[in-house]
Amino acid sequence: MKARLKHFICLLLLLSISGAAQAAHRRTDVVAMYNGDQVTGEIVSLFGGILEYKTDSMGTLKIEWQEISKLQSMFHYEFRLTGGKRFYGSVLDADRPGQLRVEDLYGVHDIEWLDVVEIRPIEARLLDRIDIYLAAGYNYTKASSVAQTSFNTVIAYEDERTRNQFTGRTVITNTDDGDTSSTKLDLSRRTWTDRARLYRVFYGNYETNDELGLDKRIALGLGWGRYAIDTNRMRFGYSAGVQGLTEKTFSTSTVDDPDNPGDIEDPDMPPPSSSSRTEYFREESAELFLSVEFATWRFDTPELDVQFDATLYPSITNSGRLRGDTDLRIRWEIVEDLFWDITAYGAYDSEAESDDQFDYGITTGIGWEY
């Protein structure tokens, strides 16, 4: 367990160091407001109906999208619309306020202002396309002598055709009876298709859970997904597919010492001694996966970000077995890029080797976004 924790911490440190440098283009963009004001700066992003805009004299501004009448920029961006369609190009002068004119390789497109869900600069460098979120928490209850330490991370990279994401969670629980831990690492790749909102998904998963008697599980899967709702305020999607997995589980039992059976009728006889025995089992199988995801956000101060994911895994090769897991993350921004983080998770296995089929946890801590 300690070795896994050290490896996880080292991974977080390396990733944070590798992303230490960030370069921005020159602040020559112009934002025009309906009240006649114009501000020169740098378009950082549009998301959740808020345009994040860096200036030299006023710092970083957050402007409501519906208050902006016109954009001017000489740089290239990705524009995502409510219907799921994406354009990759530059901004041209529009014929009227409230219209966005985008030029790409296929021509000029006139887009209604409120149809735009997201704008992202198309960065030339790999590091500038990476988003990193790190969080750590510690909880201790004196009455029960239970201490819990958690580490969470989300690292995402997106280009014109794909979104690649690594998600990691480690929770270590210390009690008077012993220590337990659970770790879940997910690596996914979503590839956009020619049909709006539809994507292909490929992913790999590594998981351990002492409470469920899981020494390790490695899974590889593929499938299709779709965003049913994708607006400035929320996103709801679902996906389905198949996966293959290999598992190593364990079961611990207590064994009496036959050389010292004891005698309950003779108080002078020592009590029977016992020892624990751990047996390991290996299994390879195939499963379906049925997943839903929901996210909502608010970028008015204080910022709020809520994301919920749930997945069911009906077994194909092991009739009657059903697994499932859920993840909930809530983030409130304390100061810029620093968040109060609440994470909850649940894991279920109808054929877990341990006495418990369900494991869950709630952790709180501090998160940082790059």
Side-chain angles (χ1 to χ4, degrees):
M1 181 189 69
K2 292 183 178 180
R4 288 201 299 263
L5 176 60
K6 290 180 180 178
H7 291 161
F8 189 72
I9 294 175
C10 289
L11 176 63
L12 296 184
L13 291 174
L14 288 173
L15 289 170
S16 62
I17 292 173
S18 67
Q22 181 181 18
H25 61 241
R26 293 177 60 186
R27 293 171 183 171
T28 57
D29 304 333
V30 177
V31 168
M33 313 292 290
Y34 277 106
N35 63 7
D37 294 340
Q38 290 191 356
V39 184
T40 301
E42 172 197 347
I43 298 172
V44 177
S45 67
L46 167 71
F47 196 70
I50 300 295
L51 180 73
E52 187 172 344
Y53 193 66
K54 287 186 178 180
T55 67
D56 292 326
S57 58
M58 294 178 288
T60 300
L61 304 178
K62 294 186 177 181
I63 310 171
E64 294 186 11
W65 183 239
Q66 65 266 23
E67 301 298 328
I68 301 173
S69 64
K70 187 177 181 181
L71 289 180
Q72 295 179 7
S73 179
M74 58 182 293
F75 298 97
H76 288 76
Y77 301 88
E78 174 193 355
F79 304 89
R80 184 165 59 87
L81 309 186
T82 55
K85 197 167 185 178
R86 297 167 184 261
F87 296 103
Y88 303 90
S90 56
V91 180
L92 300 180
D93 288 337
D95 293 336
R96 57 178 174 80
Q99 182 187 60
L100 187 66
R101 175 164 287 184
V102 176
E103 182 180 28
D104 61 11
L105 294 175
Y106 304 100
V108 178
H109 311 275
D110 290 327
I111 304 169
E112 290 302 315
W113 206 254
L114 296 181
D115 287 341
V116 182
V117 173
E118 183 178 8
I119 298 177
R120 295 190 313 112
I122 298 178
E123 305 288 357
R125 299 197 317 157
L126 173 66
L127 286 179
D128 294 335
R129 297 190 179 197
I130 296 177
D131 297 320
I132 300 175
Y133 180 76
L134 305 175
Y138 179 80
N139 300 312
Y140 176 74
T141 305
K142 182 179 180 181
S144 59
S145 298
V146 176
Q148 193 172 64
T149 307
S150 64
F151 301 93
N152 295 277
T153 185
V154 178
I155 301 168
Y157 167 79
E158 189 167 355
D159 57 25
E160 289 81 357
R161 296 297 299 172
T162 66
R163 178 172 177 81
N164 309 277
Q165 182 167 295
F166 169 80
T167 304
R169 181 193 71 229
T170 291
V171 179
I172 302 169
T173 304
N174 309 102
T175 67
D176 293 337
D177 297 330
D179 301 340
T180 60
S181 70
S182 67
T183 297
K184 186 180 180 184
L185 307 177
D186 294 297
L187 182 63
S188 65
R189 177 182 178 88
R190 298 183 179 185
T191 303
W192 317 125
T193 67
D194 293 334
R195 297 183 60 183
R197 299 186 181 182
L198 189 67
Y199 59 86
R200 294 185 293 269
V201 59
F202 307 89
Y203 76 92
N205 171 272
Y206 173 82
E207 189 174 359
T208 68
N209 193 313
D210 293 339
E211 292 291 338
L212 298 180
L214 177 63
D215 185 69
K216 66 178 177 180
R217 176 187 294 126
I218 300 174
L220 295 174
L222 55 89
W224 293 84
R226 184 179 184 273
Y227 289 124
I229 301 174
D230 192 8
T231 69
N232 280 321
R233 296 301 179 186
M234 69 176 63
R235 177 184 295 169
F236 174 77
Y238 51 86
S239 59
V242 296
Q243 67 175 21
L245 63 155
T246 178
E247 297 173 291
K248 181 181 178 183
T249 58
F250 64 89
S251 177
T252 303
S253 58
T254 301
V255 180
D256 293 334
D257 187 352
D259 297 329
N260 182 19
D263 189 344
I264 60 175
E265 296 181 357
D266 187 353
D268 295 330
M269 287 289 292
S273 61
S274 61
S275 60
S276 61
R277 181 178 64 185
T278 302
E279 295 182 276
Y280 289 91
F281 310 90
R282 294 182 182 273
E283 182 181 3
E284 295 180 352
S285 60
E287 296 176 327
L288 298 174
F289 71 85
L290 307 169
S291 181
V292 295
E293 61 178 271
F294 172 78
T296 183
W297 46 82
R298 184 191 68 202
F299 287 104
D300 299 331
T301 304
E303 291 187 12
L304 175 65
D305 186 355
V306 179
Q307 183 165 332
F308 174 77
D309 303 282
T311 307
L312 289 177
Y313 304 96
S315 180
I316 299 174
T317 56
N318 190 350
S319 178
R321 185 184 183 186
L322 177 65
R323 297 193 306 109
D325 59 58
T326 60
D327 287 284
L328 173 66
R329 188 192 68 204
I330 302 174
R331 300 190 303 175
W332 280 285
E333 189 175 40
I334 303 172
V335 296
E336 186 175 359
D337 296 332
L338 190 67
F339 294 82
W340 180 252
D341 184 277
I342 299 176
T343 302
Y345 71 92
Y348 171 78
D349 189 344
S350 63
E351 297 186 5
E353 292 295 338
S354 67
D355 295 334
D356 297 324
Q357 294 181 329
F358 185 68
D359 181 40
Y360 65 92
I362 301 175
T363 62
T364 61
I366 299 297
W368 170 74
E369 183 178 52
Y370 165 77

